[in-house]
């Protein structure tokens, strides 16, 4: 696949709560509160941008996060456990890097083969020093909250630590550990500071693979529980009907069937109890990759 590699700045502090909403398509739907201890921005209803709220705000903009990646809707897909492994396993996380990267590459290639354009982004970088990062001390009693590489200092408290504005609300200042130091002891893996490793993050755009199969469903008509299908460019593709608007319920047909040389076939749903249920007609190519899809109502239009 053709890949265009560039870079961008992460937010500050370089923690997931701040940087993930910034990297998401829903960044414009969040604002920074006047005070913070967890570094989450807030949605319009005041709820912090935790995972469920983040997905809700992206859905409001037309983005989907389902694992069933069909059709042309924009999708936000999270893959890999780099950050979790770092916090849980510290320096031992390197043992999983190769397999995690291979898994990510495989998923991106599957998307590219299906004709999708893929943007690979991360929220922040990190530091890794086996044996532990050197420790920078903060004067006792000065902090509202203290993370590995950043801290919120109490109002009016004097400190020699460098303080920088929070990306979501510049009126909130956040202390940052100097160099590669950490405010906590025993941290091989850490992030939240302003090192280039944490702040400069890659962004990779992967174009659809040349020669990716294209097809268009031009007709899908029911006769009872039999669906007659015609697709331009459908010769040899395999048609199936999946239960649910996103196809999450699996196949409901007696047998998935290939389209003939004219791009035609007919599928039978043998269970009349499914009549009226939402479903997804899909056409699959090589390796089961979905080439085209259309929402349908079983036995309906």
């Amino acid at each position: 696949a053709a890949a265009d590699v560039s870079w961008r700045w992460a937010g500050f502090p370089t923690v997931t709560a701040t940087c993930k909403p910034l990297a998401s398509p829903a960044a414009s739907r969040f604002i920074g509160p006047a005070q913070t201890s967890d570094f989450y921005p807030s949605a319009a209803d005041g709820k912090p941008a935790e995972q469920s709220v983040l997905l809700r705000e992206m859905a409001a903009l037309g983005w989907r996060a389902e694992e069933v990646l069909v059709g042309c809707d924009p999708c936000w897909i999270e893959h890999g456990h780099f950050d979790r492994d770092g916090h849980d396993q510290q320096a031992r996380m390197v043992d999983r890097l190769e397999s995690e990267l291979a898994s990510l590459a495989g998923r991106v290639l599957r998307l590219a083969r299906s004709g999708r354009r893929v943007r690979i982004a991360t929220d922040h970088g990190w530091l890794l020093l086996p044996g532990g990062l050197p420790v920078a001390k903060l004067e006792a009693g000065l902090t509202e909250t203290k993370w590995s590489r950043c801290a919120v200092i109490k109002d009016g408290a004097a400190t020699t630590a460098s303080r920088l504005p929070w990306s979501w609300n510049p009126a909130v200042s956040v202390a940052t550990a100097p160099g590669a130091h950490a405010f906590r002891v025993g941290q091989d893996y850490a992030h939240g500071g302003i090192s280039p490793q944490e702040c400069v993050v890659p962004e990779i755009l992967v174009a659809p693979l040349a020669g990716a199969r294209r097809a268009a469903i031009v007709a899908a008509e029911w006769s009872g529980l039999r669906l007659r299908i015609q697709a331009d460019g459908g010769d040899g593709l395999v048609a199936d009907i999946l239960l649910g608007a996103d196809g999450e319920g699996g196949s409901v047909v007696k047998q998935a069937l290939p389209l003939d040389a004219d791009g035609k076939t007919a599928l039978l749903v043998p269970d009349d109890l499914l009549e009226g249920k939402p479903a997804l007609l899909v056409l699959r190519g090589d390796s089961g990759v979905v080439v085209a899809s259309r929402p349908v109502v079983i036995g309906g239009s």
Side-chain angles (χ1 to χ4, degrees):
D4 181 17
V5 182
S6 60
W7 64 275
R8 62 177 177 81
W9 293 107
F12 176 77
T14 47
V15 296
T16 301
T18 284
C19 298
K20 188 173 179 179
L22 273 175
S24 81
S28 62
R29 297 179 67 86
F30 296 104
I31 58 173
Q35 294 182 327
T36 183
S37 61
D38 56 14
F39 300 117
Y40 279 111
S42 301
D45 61 2
K47 293 185 177 180
E50 296 176 338
Q51 184 73 355
S52 61
V53 174
L54 182 63
L55 295 179
R56 181 195 72 185
E57 296 302 309
M58 285 192 285
L61 295 175
W63 285 75
R64 297 171 54 182
E66 293 85 3
E67 287 296 317
V68 181
L69 300 181
V70 295
C72 300
D73 294 343
C75 294
W76 168 271
I77 303 299
E78 298 183 16
H79 192 93
H81 304 289
F82 303 99
D83 194 32
R84 186 190 70 187
D85 289 346
H87 289 298
D88 291 348
Q89 302 174 19
Q90 295 294 307
R92 291 179 291 113
M93 63 96 71
V94 299
D95 296 332
R96 289 181 49 83
L97 283 178
E98 186 173 352
S99 61
E100 287 285 298
L101 287 170
S103 176
L104 174 60
R107 189 163 196 179
V108 170
L109 285 173
R110 287 195 297 273
L111 291 169
R113 290 190 185 105
S114 73
R116 281 192 176 272
R117 182 172 179 266
V118 184
R119 170 180 171 250
I120 307 171
T122 187
D123 48 0
H124 57 73
W126 32 269
L127 297 179
L128 183 68
L129 183 61
L133 300 172
V135 178
K137 293 185 178 180
L138 276 176
E139 297 86 343
L142 294 186
T143 61
E144 295 285 358
T145 184
K146 182 170 67 174
W147 293 29
S148 293
R149 294 263 298 150
C150 58
V152 176
I153 307 298
K154 292 180 180 179
D155 289 342
T159 179
T160 57
S162 297
R163 300 170 71 172
L164 297 168
W166 182 33
S167 290
W168 287 103
N169 184 349
V172 177
S173 63
V174 181
T176 179
H181 288 67
F183 290 136
R184 292 178 176 173
V185 177
Q187 301 294 299
D188 296 346
Y189 172 93
H191 55 89
I194 57 170
S195 70
Q197 290 88 344
E198 296 161 284
C199 292
V200 180
V201 293
E203 188 165 88
I204 305 173
L205 294 176
V206 181
L209 278 177
R213 187 72 183 267
R214 295 280 194 275
I217 300 170
V218 296
E221 299 178 356
W222 290 96
S223 176
L225 293 177
R226 187 179 299 276
L227 182 61
R228 301 186 186 281
I229 304 154
Q230 182 174 1
D232 288 342
D235 181 13
L237 296 178
V238 175
D240 198 357
I241 300 173
L242 309 178
L243 185 63
D246 298 314
E248 67 276 9
S251 179
V252 296
V253 302
K254 186 174 183 179
Q255 182 181 1
L257 295 173
L259 279 68
D260 63 20
D262 296 322
K264 296 180 179 180
T265 195
L267 297 175
L268 176 65
V269 178
D271 188 351
D272 57 10
L273 294 178
L274 295 177
E275 186 170 3
K277 300 286 187 181
L280 193 69
L281 166 64
V282 296
L283 304 183
R284 290 193 174 97
D286 296 338
S287 303
V289 172
V290 174
V291 175
S293 66
R294 176 187 287 192
V296 295
V297 175
I298 296 175
S301 56

